Amino acid sequence: MPGTLNLQIITPERVVLDQEVEQVSACAIDGELTILPEHEPIITALAIDIVRFKSKGRESAAAVIGGLLEVTDNRVRVLSDSVELDIEIDEARAHQAKQRAEAEKTQRTDKLDVYISEMAIARAVARLKAAELIKRRSRSMHN
């Protein structure tokens, strides 16, 4: 399809998404980037955040727990150990996970334990961002 990209989001367990999209936006470890058709080839490391994508004018997101983003020949491939699409996220569980991780962090003194707690918080925040996007989309459809 002209003017589109093939977006694949893949974890070791499954192909999370494989579809044609108009644009992909992601947070790399060195900043935000947006990929449009005919983008130059790149490979970059992803931060723990969301990957947003537009398909048929509708924006969706996936919470991505780090990984790599590769662009070649109008194909965007996201490889990550853990990914959840916005429609898969249980917002209440994500809030609970964030609160639990924040509480654990305050009780940690070992640097590794603090780091692990910070990663859990970052994961919960990414999941909440993706859940918020789907809520905004739902509200705009009903207005």
Side-chain angles (χ1 to χ4, degrees):
M1 182 185 279
T4 63
L5 303 155
N6 175 256
L7 173 61
Q8 293 179 326
I9 301 177
I10 303 167
T11 68
E13 290 82 31
R14 66 185 177 128
V15 175
V16 177
L17 185 79
D18 186 354
Q19 76 178 54
E20 296 297 311
V21 300
E22 291 97 40
Q23 121 182 11
V24 178
S25 296
C27 188
I29 59 170
D30 56 355
E32 180 88 14
L33 70 147
T34 297
I35 310 298
L36 298 170
E38 305 304 324
H39 196 284
E40 289 294 313
I42 61 166
I43 295 177
T44 189
L46 293 173
I48 298 174
D49 207 317
I50 62 173
V51 172
R52 294 183 323 275
F53 51 95
K54 281 189 183 175
S55 179
K56 298 177 184 162
R58 181 176 163 177
E59 189 173 42
S60 298
V64 177
I65 312 309
L68 294 174
L69 180 138
E70 174 191 38
V71 178
T72 56
D73 300 323
N74 282 328
R75 178 183 303 254
V76 179
R77 217 178 260 126
V78 173
L79 305 172
S80 180
D81 285 336
S82 180
V83 175
E84 287 179 86
L85 293 174
D86 52 8
I87 58 174
E88 299 172 330
I89 294 171
D90 180 331
E91 188 177 2
R93 282 186 51 222
H95 275 292
Q96 291 169 351
K98 181 176 181 260
Q99 291 170 344
R100 193 170 43 252
E102 287 171 338
E104 287 175 5
K105 181 181 174 191
T106 62
Q107 299 171 6
R108 306 291 185 189
T109 56
D110 180 73
K111 286 184 182 181
L112 180 58
D113 289 339
V114 169
Y115 176 76
I116 290 169
S117 294
E118 287 172 349
M119 292 300 100
I121 292 167
R123 177 183 178 152
V125 168
R127 293 173 71 221
L128 290 169
K129 279 183 178 180
E132 180 59 31
L133 182 71
I134 200 167
K135 281 179 20 184
R136 281 196 317 256
R137 188 174 66 220
S138 177
R139 281 193 299 260
S140 69
M141 289 174 57
H142 291 96
N143 289 332

